[in-house]
Amino acid sequence: MMRIKRAFWTGLLALLLAAPSLSHAQDILTVTTADRTESFTLEEILAMPQTTVVTKNDYVDETTIFQGPSLRSVLQEMDITQDAALEMTALNDFSSQVPAADAFEYDVILAVLLNGERMSVRDKGPIWVIYPMDDNPELHDEIYNDRLVWQLKSISVD
């Protein structure tokens, strides 16, 4: 019995030592241009100035409060201009082509909070690209629905 307990604890300790540290923050978003690549943790994204968008879209049942940094501010930080074409890619490798001009014309955000709560992968998180559809009736169009990339993992400049 003593050997079984020792083997259990030895195995558990080895597993814990081999696993990545739970306190290590993981990158959840990578932004890539021809000149540089930057990766961001959830904590870094939450530390950015936050924008709130209250809106409905085809994927939520009611008006919802989304919060996160503006896409415009992230693009400007990376020296990405409004004439760029962006490829937004999700965790499941779905991708959508989005003109950077959208971020400069509208308050598009990289939402990390939904109704004040962090979004899990199951709930379209940790990042969901959100357009302020209720404030801009022209955004109620299928072309913009295709740009509401959830589970966003990367933005690349084409």
Side-chain angles (χ1 to χ4, degrees), residues 3-116:
R3 286 183 201 211
I4 293 173
K5 284 183 181 179
R6 177 178 284 161
F8 171 78
W9 289 112
T10 303
L12 181 60
L13 179 61
L15 181 63
L16 290 173
L17 291 174
S21 170
L22 296 176
S23 64
H24 175 69
Q26 274 190 306
D27 294 334
I28 62 166
L29 177 65
T30 302
V31 182
T32 304
T33 69
D35 300 323
R36 74 191 244 218
T37 297
E38 294 288 334
S39 294
F40 303 91
T41 65
L42 177 60
E43 290 74 21
E44 290 170 329
I45 292 172
L46 287 168
M48 296 175 182
Q50 302 289 293
T51 300
T52 300
V53 171
V54 180
T55 194
K56 287 187 290 190
N57 63 46
D58 287 355
Y59 307 105
V60 293
D61 294 330
E62 56 192 29
T63 300
T64 305
I65 302 168
F66 297 96
Q67 291 173 279
S70 72
L71 177 57
R72 178 186 317 115
S73 66
V74 173
L75 298 180
Q76 288 172 330
E77 178 67 29
M78 294 288 295
D79 297 320
I80 300 170
T81 61
Q82 62 183 341
D83 60 339
L86 309 174
E87 182 172 357
M88 305 279 206
T89 304
L91 292 173
N92 67 358
D93 293 326
F94 167 84
S95 67
S96 181
Q97 298 296 314
V98 175
D102 284 4
F104 292 86
E105 185 171 347
Y106 303 106
D107 288 327
V108 179
I109 66 169
L110 301 177
V112 290
L113 300 178
L114 183 144
N115 293 327

Side-chain angles (χ1 to χ4, degrees), residues 1 51 78 83 99 106 120 122 130 156:
M1 182 68 150
T51 300
M78 294 288 295
D83 60 339
Y106 303 106
S120 68
R122 173 178 268 177
I130 293 294
S156 300

